[in-house]
Amino acid sequence: MIDLASYFGLFAAALGAATILPMQSESVLVGLLLTGKFSVPALLAVASIGNTLGSIVNWFLGRGVERFRDRRWFPVGEAALERLSRWYRKYGKWTLLLSWMPVLGDALTVVAGVLREPLLPFTILVFVAKTGRYVVLTLATLQFLG
């Protein structure tokens, strides 16, 4: 039961960290890796899926930006939204491979929704980026332990 709660905690942290919530999932993943009690592939899958789903929440926020743009909690200010939109139009959907980056990545996923990036390519590119970050973090942690 504790194992399931640990996986759920990682999932929740990863999902929340990809949204507008001020959360961090990397420390949760590293902590679970350090225990040596959990399946590494399962931890990677849970973190990647949770973080990708959080980015999909941002995509939906972007789709509904007109309703939420003036809210204080909205993750991207008006000037930043316009700047990122120009950048996204210039470089296209491939910028989503930067969605793993703190702050910028979350804003990019909102902008992708604003600019109506189709959900399937969005999800694939974001999943690749988020999984890549977790793989690098996992390998670094396991190297440290080794």
Side-chain angles (χ1 to χ4, degrees):
M1 188 63 135
I2 291 175
D3 287 354
L4 186 58
S6 297
Y7 285 114
F8 179 77
L10 175 60
F11 178 83
L15 187 138
T19 65
I20 61 173
L21 299 174
M23 297 179 72
Q24 185 184 54
S25 60
E26 293 84 0
S27 59
V28 177
L29 175 61
V30 168
L32 292 173
L33 287 168
L34 291 175
T35 69
K37 295 178 5 181
F38 299 94
S39 162
V40 172
L43 289 174
L44 282 170
V46 167
S48 297
I49 291 168
N51 213 239
T52 300
L53 288 174
S55 292
I56 291 171
V57 168
N58 287 348
W59 182 85
F60 278 107
L61 277 174
R63 294 292 297 238
V65 73
E66 294 308 318
R67 280 183 292 186
F68 303 117
R69 179 178 282 188
D70 59 343
R71 304 280 168 85
R72 200 179 109 213
W73 53 263
F74 194 73
V76 185
E78 188 67 36
L81 185 61
E82 184 55 39
R83 187 172 50 254
L84 280 169
S85 293
R86 281 194 310 270
W87 194 62
Y88 192 91
R89 284 186 196 104
K90 182 176 180 179
Y91 296 107
K93 65 185 172 193
W94 301 108
T95 59
L96 292 170
L97 291 173
L98 299 175
S99 63
W100 64 269
M101 296 178 69
V103 183
L104 173 67
D106 297 342
L108 281 172
T109 59
V110 171
V111 168
V114 169
L115 297 177
R116 306 290 198 246
E117 182 66 48
L119 186 57
L120 183 59
F122 169 88
T123 303
I124 292 168
L125 289 169
V126 168
F127 183 77
V128 166
K130 304 285 189 167
T131 301
R133 176 193 57 202
Y134 286 127
V135 166
V136 168
L137 181 63
T138 297
L139 291 174
T141 302
L142 294 176
Q143 181 70 28
F144 175 77
L145 289 175

